[in-house]
């Protein structure tokens, strides 16, 4: 336990001595209110999906961004519109069959620190999914999941232990195979690196207010 605390102190000291800037946000320019960042993953479970459409409505205390496509949607047209006035995101894809399963899109939502589950703050329409012939598919051909960004050890909190856990995992992935890689991917680039650990440190220290 003493060794663990010394490691936390060393990391905190190193970050405090660094220039407080990440993603163009300085400590002076950052917002004062801190938010939790939830990332939704929109999963295609049927490779024959050639069209999907869904909407997300969210409560007024949530900040939202349009959905972002992945390379699964490279065979067609992807569109996501954020309607600020109605607190709604409408997302659709139309093209050739996606051809495989996996994450088709992600959506980032910022929530107050009091929120414990983003599913309490949002609602979905049941996705409409079709194949290349226009036949309607089971709506569960597109499903939704989420992570609390930064919670790499999946304990429900974001602290310096999450940054340390990423570093331990990268140094010895066989020993720390339980890392939640989606939550650990703080910058959302699809891979977990030491940069993600640095971003989490900056969040914990209040240098940035969200991911």
């Amino acid at each position: 336990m003493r060794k663990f605390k010394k490691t936390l102190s060393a990391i905190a000291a190193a970050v405090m001595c660094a220039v407080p800037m990440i993603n163009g946000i300085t400590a002076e320019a950052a917002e004062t209110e801190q938010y939790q960042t939830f990332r939704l993953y929109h999963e295609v479970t049927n490779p024959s999906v050639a069209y999907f459409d869904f909407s997300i409505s969210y409560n007024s205390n949530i900040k939202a961004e349009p959905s972002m496509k992945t390379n699964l949607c490279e065979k067609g047209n992807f569109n996501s519109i954020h309607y600020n006035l109605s607190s709604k995101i409408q997302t659709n894809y139309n093209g050739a069959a996606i051809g495989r399963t996996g994450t088709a899109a992600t959506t980032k939502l910022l929530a107050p620190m009091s929120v414990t589950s983003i599913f309490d703050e949002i609602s979905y329409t049941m996705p409409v999914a079709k194949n290349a012939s226009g036949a309607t598919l089971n709506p569960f051909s597109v499903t939704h999941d989420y992570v609390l960004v930064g919670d790499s050890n999946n304990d429900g909190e974001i602290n310096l232990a999450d940054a340390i856990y990423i570093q331990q995992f990268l140094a010895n992935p066989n020993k720390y195979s339980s890392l939640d890689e989606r939550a650990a991917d703080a910058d959302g680039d699809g891979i977990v690196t030491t940069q993600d650990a640095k971003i989490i440190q900056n969040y914990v220290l209040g240098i940035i207010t969200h991911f």
Side-chain angles (χ1 to χ4, degrees):
M1 179 62 71
R2 280 178 288 183
K3 183 178 180 181
F4 181 73
K5 288 182 178 179
K6 287 180 180 179
T7 305
L8 283 174
S9 299
I11 290 177
V15 174
M16 290 295 286
C17 292
V19 177
M21 178 178 291
I22 189 163
N23 294 332
I25 302 176
T26 64
E28 290 77 17
E31 298 177 3
T32 57
E33 183 178 0
Q34 197 164 41
Y35 290 88
Q36 299 180 93
T37 302
F38 291 89
R39 188 180 298 127
L40 307 182
Y41 287 84
H42 310 292
E43 304 286 333
V44 169
T45 62
N46 184 339
S48 64
V49 169
Y51 170 89
F52 64 74
D53 185 279
F54 63 83
S55 65
I56 304 168
S57 297
Y58 56 90
N59 293 340
S60 59
N61 61 333
I62 301 297
K63 295 185 177 183
E65 297 180 0
S67 302
M68 301 293 293
K69 70 177 182 179
T70 70
N71 57 10
L72 260 68
C73 296
E74 63 187 5
K75 297 179 180 179
N77 296 318
F78 178 91
N79 190 38
S80 184
I81 302 174
H82 182 203
Y83 298 98
N84 284 292
L85 293 179
S86 56
S87 300
K88 178 180 177 181
I89 302 169
Q90 187 78 33
T91 302
N92 60 72
Y93 166 84
N94 189 14
I98 288 177
R100 55 196 174 100
T101 60
T103 304
T106 61
T107 307
K108 186 166 75 173
L109 302 168
L110 305 182
M113 301 302 291
S114 58
V115 172
T116 57
S117 171
I118 196 63
F119 283 163
D120 294 335
E121 307 296 326
I122 65 174
S123 61
Y124 291 105
T125 59
M126 186 64 73
V128 176
K130 298 179 182 180
N131 63 20
S133 300
T136 301
L137 301 173
N138 187 311
F140 292 103
S141 296
V142 179
T143 61
H144 310 289
D145 197 6
Y146 79 93
V147 296
L148 174 60
V149 179
D151 184 19
S152 64
N153 60 11
N154 201 26
D155 66 354
E157 299 180 0
I158 304 171
N159 48 44
L160 285 179
D162 293 297
I164 294 172
Y165 200 73
I166 290 174
Q167 294 171 329
Q168 291 173 331
F169 172 81
L170 293 174
N172 192 349
N174 293 326
K175 182 178 180 181
Y176 297 94
S177 57
S178 62
L179 176 76
D180 188 336
E181 294 190 37
R182 284 182 166 179
D185 182 19
D187 59 12
D189 66 355
I191 56 175
V192 179
T193 67
T194 56
Q195 177 67 11
D196 295 303
K198 292 177 182 178
I199 293 173
I200 292 173
Q201 290 167 7
N202 282 350
Y203 176 80
V204 173
L205 295 172
I207 296 172
I208 59 174
T209 57
H210 59 80
F211 298 109

